[in-house]
Amino acid sequence: MNVSTADPANLDTPAPATTEWQRWTTSMTVAVTDPDRLAAARFEVDAGLDAVERAASRFRPDSEINALATSAGRPTLVSEVLAEILDAALAAARLTDGDVDPTIGAAIVALGYDRDFGELDRADPLAASMTMPATWSMVGLHGRTVTVPPGVVLDLGATAKAVAADRCARRVHRATGSGVLVSLGGDIATAGPAPEGGWPVVVHDHDDDPASSVALPPGAALATSSTVRRRWGHGPTLVHHILDPRTRRPADPVWRTVSVAAQTCLTANTISTAAVVRGWRALDWIDSLGIAARLVDRDRTVHTVGGWPAPEPGGRR
């Protein structure tokens, strides 16, 4: 997903200042309405990402999430950051009736996604022995105290990046006073005033797929879940990273991409991920939520619901 820097409504208005860099094997973008605050915005985003990484990265040996994997079921006090991220993951599970479930970590490891995606090669056959039946309801969270059953490996990838986008956008706006758009690999959050005409975003996940241009109003968010990105070979099979928690296997790729506009990136990404798991059933479900979405099926046919492209102010979170 691309963030355009031109203001489509008024070419006499200075375009937002934008910077882009690579982190977490994906593209990070920050755009601000006040060009003088761009360096400060980048600093705040990096600091925010550092905190999320220390708390929730499966690929960092000293992260809190990895410590929980060895807690043997003991109640464990965690940081405010991890408590917030885990609370968001459990809320996503409730909203989607378990279609987004943070207890799929062992299943993802067993499929070979056991290191940073840029270093991925093939699955470790021993990882399959880590898999045990688990659901999100087995995870306890009381304030900052977390209880994870023995053998359960948490993976917060379905929600942590979206939470990070929301956190970073708020953080930049508080620190700089500027309107800001933060895109973490296509998980987009905004805070403060938008450019005249809104934040211009091009929704386009793959070169061969149809594109859509949208203008996000102030405070809106957008997320895209994809079955054509983050794919790797598992034996003779090509797999992707969005698992159906009930089968612990990659969801049937009915959708190449699902893009959702909502009031928070967490809400948008929760719904887009669950839509991939639900397949064709997702169309009626998203429409019932009053949420705007754009779904590209395996034949590259575009389906829209909820008045796409504009996020509905009255949509339920």
Side-chain angles (χ1 to χ4, degrees), residues 3 21 36 39 43 46 69 78 90 95 133-134 139 144 175 195 200 209 231 240 252 255 260 264 266 275 284 293 302:
V3 180
W21 69 103
D36 292 337
F43 174 84
D46 274 331
V78 301
L90 297 176
L95 174 65
V139 178
R144 289 173 49 199
D209 288 352
R231 298 193 295 181
H240 63 82
D252 182 18
W255 307 116
V260 174
T264 68
L266 171 62
D284 289 340
V302 176

Coordinates of all heavy atoms in Angstrom, one line a residue, residues 3 21 36 39 43 46 69 78 90 95 133-134 139 144 175 195 200 209 231 240 252 255 260 264 266 275 284 293 302:
V3 N 1.5 5.5 0.1 CA 1.0 6.8 0.6 C 1.4 7.8 -0.4 O 2.6 8.1 -0.6 CB 1.5 7.1 2.0 CG1 1.0 8.5 2.5 CG2 1.2 6.0 3.0
W21 N 11.4 4.3 5.3 CA 12.6 3.4 5.7 C 12.1 2.0 5.8 O 10.9 1.7 5.8 CB 13.3 4.0 6.9 CG 12.6 3.8 8.2 CD1 12.8 2.9 9.2 CD2 11.5 4.6 8.7 NE1 11.9 3.1 10.3 CE2 11.1 4.1 10.0 CE3 10.8 5.7 8.2 CZ2 10.1 4.7 10.7 CZ3 9.8 6.3 9.0 CH2 9.5 5.8 10.2
D36 N 8.4 20.9 9.1 CA 9.5 21.2 10.1 C 9.5 20.1 11.2 O 10.5 20.0 12.0 CB 9.3 22.5 10.7 CG 9.6 23.7 9.8 OD1 10.3 23.4 8.7 OD2 9.1 24.8 10.0
A39 N 11.5 15.3 11.2 CA 12.6 14.5 11.9 C 12.1 14.1 13.3 O 12.4 13.0 13.7 CB 13.8 15.4 12.0
F43 N 11.7 10.2 14.8 CA 12.3 9.8 16.1 C 11.2 9.2 17.0 O 11.5 8.1 17.6 CB 12.9 11.1 16.8 CG 13.4 10.8 18.2 CD1 14.7 10.3 18.4 CD2 12.6 11.0 19.3 CE1 15.1 10.0 19.7 CE2 13.0 10.8 20.6 CZ 14.3 10.2 20.7
D46 N 10.3 5.7 15.7 CA 11.3 4.7 16.0 C 11.3 4.3 17.5 O 11.4 3.1 17.8 CB 12.7 5.2 15.6 CG 13.0 4.9 14.1 OD1 12.5 3.9 13.6 OD2 13.7 5.7 13.5
A69 N 6.5 -17.6 26.9 CA 6.5 -18.9 26.3 C 7.2 -19.9 27.2 O 6.9 -21.1 27.1 CB 7.2 -18.9 24.9
V78 N 3.9 -8.1 33.3 CA 4.5 -7.7 32.0 C 4.4 -6.1 32.0 O 3.8 -5.5 32.8 CB 3.7 -8.2 30.8 CG1 3.8 -9.8 30.8 CG2 2.3 -7.8 30.8
L90 N -6.7 -10.0 22.5 CA -7.9 -10.7 23.1 C -9.2 -10.1 22.7 O -10.2 -10.8 22.4 CB -7.7 -10.8 24.6 CG -6.5 -11.6 25.1 CD1 -6.4 -11.5 26.6 CD2 -6.5 -13.0 24.6
L95 N -14.1 -10.1 19.2 CA -14.9 -9.5 18.1 C -15.1 -10.5 16.9 O -16.1 -10.4 16.3 CB -14.1 -8.2 17.6 CG -14.7 -7.6 16.3 CD1 -16.1 -7.0 16.6 CD2 -13.7 -6.5 15.8
P133 N -3.3 -28.0 21.2 CA -4.6 -27.4 21.1 C -4.7 -26.2 22.1 O -4.4 -26.4 23.3 CB -5.6 -28.5 21.4 CG -4.9 -29.7 21.2 CD -3.4 -29.5 21.6
A134 N -5.1 -25.1 21.6 CA -5.2 -23.9 22.5 C -6.2 -22.9 21.9 O -6.3 -22.9 20.6 CB -3.9 -23.3 22.7
V139 N -6.0 -17.8 27.8 CA -5.0 -16.8 28.2 C -5.6 -15.8 29.2 O -6.7 -15.3 29.0 CB -4.5 -16.0 27.0 CG1 -3.5 -14.9 27.4 CG2 -3.8 -16.9 26.0
R144 N -1.8 -6.0 34.5 CA -0.5 -6.3 33.8 C 0.0 -7.7 34.1 O 1.1 -8.1 33.8 CB 0.6 -5.3 34.3 CG 0.3 -3.9 33.7 CD 1.3 -2.9 34.3 NE 2.7 -3.4 34.3 CZ 3.7 -3.0 35.0 NH1 3.5 -2.0 35.9 NH2 4.9 -3.5 34.9
A175 N 3.6 14.7 20.6 CA 5.0 15.3 20.7 C 5.2 16.5 19.8 O 6.0 17.4 20.1 CB 6.0 14.2 20.4
P195 N -4.3 16.8 5.6 CA -4.1 17.8 4.6 C -5.5 18.1 4.0 O -6.5 17.3 4.1 CB -3.3 17.1 3.5 CG -2.7 15.9 4.2 CD -3.6 15.5 5.3
P200 N -4.1 11.2 1.1 CA -4.2 10.4 -0.1 C -3.4 9.1 0.0 O -2.2 9.1 0.3 CB -3.6 11.3 -1.2 CG -2.7 12.2 -0.5 CD -3.2 12.4 0.9
D209 N -2.4 -6.6 -9.4 CA -3.7 -6.4 -8.8 C -4.3 -5.0 -9.1 O -3.5 -4.1 -9.3 CB -3.7 -6.6 -7.3 CG -3.5 -8.1 -7.0 OD1 -3.6 -8.9 -7.9 OD2 -3.3 -8.4 -5.8
R231 N 4.7 -15.1 1.9 CA 4.5 -16.5 1.6 C 5.9 -17.2 1.6 O 6.9 -16.5 1.3 CB 3.8 -16.6 0.2 CG 2.4 -16.0 0.2 CD 1.7 -16.5 -1.0 NE 2.3 -16.0 -2.3 CZ 1.8 -16.2 -3.5 NH1 0.7 -16.9 -3.6 NH2 2.4 -15.7 -4.6
H240 N 1.0 -19.2 3.3 CA 1.0 -17.8 3.7 C 0.8 -17.7 5.2 O 0.5 -18.7 5.9 CB 0.0 -17.0 3.0 CG -1.5 -17.4 3.2 ND1 -2.2 -17.0 4.3 CD2 -2.3 -18.3 2.5 CE1 -3.4 -17.6 4.3 NE2 -3.5 -18.3 3.2
D252 N -7.8 -20.7 3.4 CA -8.0 -20.8 2.0 C -8.0 -19.4 1.4 O -8.7 -18.5 1.8 CB -9.4 -21.4 1.7 CG -9.7 -21.7 0.3 OD1 -8.8 -21.7 -0.6 OD2 -10.9 -21.8 -0.1
W255 N -9.4 -14.7 -0.8 CA -9.1 -13.3 -1.1 C -7.6 -13.1 -1.2 O -6.8 -13.6 -0.4 CB -9.6 -12.4 0.1 CG -11.0 -12.6 0.5 CD1 -11.5 -13.1 1.6 CD2 -12.1 -12.3 -0.4 NE1 -12.9 -13.1 1.6 CE2 -13.3 -12.6 0.4 CE3 -12.2 -11.7 -1.6 CZ2 -14.6 -12.4 -0.1 CZ3 -13.5 -11.5 -2.1 CH2 -14.7 -11.9 -1.4
V260 N -9.5 -2.6 4.8 CA -10.6 -2.1 5.6 C -10.3 -0.8 6.1 O -9.2 -0.5 6.6 CB -10.9 -3.1 6.8 CG1 -11.9 -2.5 7.8 CG2 -11.3 -4.5 6.3
T264 N -9.8 3.0 13.9 CA -8.5 2.6 14.4 C -7.9 1.6 13.5 O -8.6 0.8 12.9 CB -8.5 2.1 15.9 OG1 -9.2 0.8 15.9 CG2 -9.3 3.0 16.8
L266 N -6.2 -0.9 14.6 CA -6.5 -2.2 15.2 C -7.8 -2.8 14.7 O -7.9 -3.9 14.4 CB -6.5 -2.0 16.8 CG -7.0 -3.3 17.5 CD1 -6.1 -4.4 17.3 CD2 -7.1 -3.0 19.0
A275 N -11.5 -11.5 7.8 CA -12.2 -11.7 6.5 C -11.4 -12.7 5.7 O -12.0 -13.5 5.0 CB -12.2 -10.4 5.8
D284 N -20.9 -10.5 3.9 CA -22.1 -10.2 4.7 C -21.7 -9.8 6.1 O -22.3 -8.9 6.7 CB -23.0 -11.4 4.8 CG -23.7 -11.7 3.5 OD1 -23.8 -10.7 2.6 OD2 -24.2 -12.8 3.3
A293 N -15.0 -1.7 3.3 CA -13.9 -2.6 2.9 C -13.9 -2.9 1.4 O -14.9 -2.7 0.7 CB -14.1 -3.9 3.7
V302 N -12.8 -7.2 -7.9 CA -12.9 -6.4 -6.7 C -14.4 -6.4 -6.2 O -15.3 -6.2 -6.9 CB -12.5 -4.9 -7.0 CG1 -12.7 -4.0 -5.8 CG2 -11.1 -4.9 -7.5

